[in-house]
Amino acid sequence: MAELYIRVAEDENEEPMEIPSEDDGTVLLSTVAAQFPGACGLRYRSPVSQCMRGVRLVEGVLHAPENGWGNLVYIVNYPKDNKRKMDEIDASSAVKIKRGDQKTSDLIVLGLPWKTSEQDLKDYFSTFGEVIMVQVKRDVKTGNSKGFGFVRFTDYEAQVKVMSQRHMIDGRWCDCKLPNSKQGPDEPMRSRKVFVGRCTEDMTAEELRQFFMQYGEVTDVFIPKPFRAFAFVTFCKFWCF
DNA sequence: GTTGAGCGTT
C-alpha cells in the first residue's frame, strides 16, 4: 500500500495533523502519541450513523475502519479522567501513570517481638527504602503489642524486596505479606475489569469493544451465555483506571 | 506479668 496519511485532531473543531500510516495500512498508536502525548486511541464520527466510533486498537496498532481510513478526521482519545495533553500533567501524576499497577500497598508484618516499637520498625524497614508509615497493633486497654503490624513503602521496588524475604527484627524472624483482610484502598482503583450492567441482548462484544476503546485499549470483552444482561470489559494494564 | 497463628479502633 502506498504511503498514506490520516488526519488527526484533538477535537472536531481543531486543525487536523497528518499522521503517517504503516506499509500495511495500519497506524501505530506510538505514531499518534508522538504528536499527541498521552493518546490512548482514536475515534471518529461515522458518516452513516453520525455517532462517534472507536478505532480498533490491538496491541498498540490502530486498524482502519471497514472502508479504509478515507478522508475523515480522527479524534484523539485520552485516558479517562485525564483528557488533556501529557505535557500538561505534572511530574507526579506522570509517575503514577508510568508505575501503573505498581502502586504500593500496606504490608502486614507478622511475628514481631512484643517489645518492638514503631520506631524500631521504621528504623529497620528504612534500610529497604523510604517508609510512608509503620504501625504496631496493640491491645487497646493494656497497650501491649499484638505481635504484628503494618508497613508501607513509597516505592514498589522496596515493597517487592521486603516481601521476598524473611526479616530478623529484634531477634525474631518476621514475615511481610499482603494483607488478606482488607484488599487495600487502591485495589478497586487498580482493577482493569469493569462491570457493565443493564446490557441488552442485542449488544455484541464487538460493539462493547468499540465503545469502551475510547477509554483505553480493550483486551477482553466477556458476555455470559445465556443472556444475563451484563458484561465485563477488561482494559490493557498500561493505564490505571 | 502469660502467648506465637494470624489480618488493621481511627
Side-chain angles (χ1 to χ4, degrees), chain A residues 99 102-109 120-135 149-165 167 169 175-178 186:
Chain A
R99 292 219 170 115
Q102 298 194 334
K103 285 192 71 169
T104 61
S105 49
D106 291 357
L107 296 179
I108 187 166
V109 188
D120 294 332
L121 275 192
K122 179 151 191 175
D123 291 344
Y124 172 77
F125 284 115
S126 292
T127 62
F128 293 88
E130 188 185 346
V131 170
I132 295 176
M133 76 90 199
V134 289
Q135 289 179 345
F150 292 88
V151 62
R152 185 154 187 168
F153 292 93
T154 308
D155 296 321
Y156 188 73
E157 290 70 23
Q159 174 173 327
V160 170
K161 174 82 172 109
V162 162
M163 280 192 295
S164 70
Q165 64 169 80
H167 303 272
I169 302 175
D175 295 298
C176 295
K177 304 175 182 172
L178 289 172
D186 355 278

Side-chain angles (χ1 to χ4, degrees), chain A residues 4-229:
Chain A
L4 181 111
Y5 286 86
I6 70 166
R7 304 202 295 160
V8 178
E10 285 218 308
D11 68 62
E12 293 180 277
N13 302 319
E14 262 189 50
E15 175 83 14
M17 177 176 291
E18 293 198 323
I19 303 275
S21 67
E22 301 303 299
D23 290 342
D24 61 1
T26 64
V27 170
L28 300 180
L29 179 60
S30 56
T31 309
V32 175
Q35 303 302 323
F36 301 93
C40 67
L42 292 177
R43 64 185 188 277
Y44 64 100
R45 189 170 294 282
S46 163
V48 180
S49 69
Q50 289 301 309
C51 289
M52 295 307 291
R53 287 193 177 175
V55 173
R56 174 183 290 280
L57 174 66
V58 181
E59 291 171 355
V61 179
L62 293 152
H63 295 265
E66 281 193 22
N67 300 319
W69 294 105
N71 205 28
L72 297 172
V73 174
Y74 293 85
I75 309 300
V76 180
N77 290 336
Y78 291 108
K80 187 185 169 191
D81 295 333
N82 200 9
K83 294 189 187 297
R84 48 187 175 152
K85 292 180 190 174
M86 191 64 108
D87 57 12
E88 291 170 358
I89 302 174
D90 59 69
S92 61
S93 50
V95 166
K96 281 175 197 161
I97 289 173
K98 191 178 163 196
R99 292 219 170 115
D101 56 349
Q102 298 194 334
K103 285 192 71 169
T104 61
S105 49
D106 291 357
L107 296 179
I108 187 166
V109 188
L110 269 357
L112 291 174
W114 310 118
K115 63 169 198 172
T116 300
S117 69
E118 296 190 343
Q119 187 60 51
D120 294 332
L121 275 192
K122 179 151 191 175
D123 291 344
Y124 172 77
F125 284 115
S126 292
T127 62
F128 293 88
E130 188 185 346
V131 170
I132 295 176
M133 76 90 199
V134 289
Q135 289 179 345
V136 171
K137 289 303 167 189
R138 322 188 97 97
D139 185 282
V140 188
K141 286 184 190 153
T142 67
N144 291 334
S145 168
K146 290 187 180 171
F148 72 93
F150 292 88
V151 62
R152 185 154 187 168
F153 292 93
T154 308
D155 296 321
Y156 188 73
E157 290 70 23
Q159 174 173 327
V160 170
K161 174 82 172 109
V162 162
M163 280 192 295
S164 70
Q165 64 169 80
R166 302 243 292 159
H167 303 272
M168 178 59 76
I169 302 175
D170 290 338
R172 272 186 59 93
W173 285 110
C174 302
D175 295 298
C176 295
K177 304 175 182 172
L178 289 172
N180 41 25
S181 53
K182 258 190 205 168
Q183 312 240 320
D186 355 278
E187 287 299 332
M189 301 296 294
R190 217 191 307 179
S191 172
R192 293 153 42 212
K193 185 180 283 189
V194 297
F195 173 81
V196 184
R198 302 188 61 186
C199 293
T200 53
E201 197 157 8
D202 60 316
M203 287 185 190
T204 65
E206 182 58 25
E207 282 174 332
L208 288 172
R209 172 190 292 276
Q210 289 285 333
F211 178 82
F212 281 99
M213 65 187 1
Q214 69 182 294
Y215 301 115
E217 184 169 350
V218 174
T219 55
D220 187 55
V221 177
F222 176 76
I223 299 178
K225 292 188 210 38
F227 175 66
R228 296 233 272 148

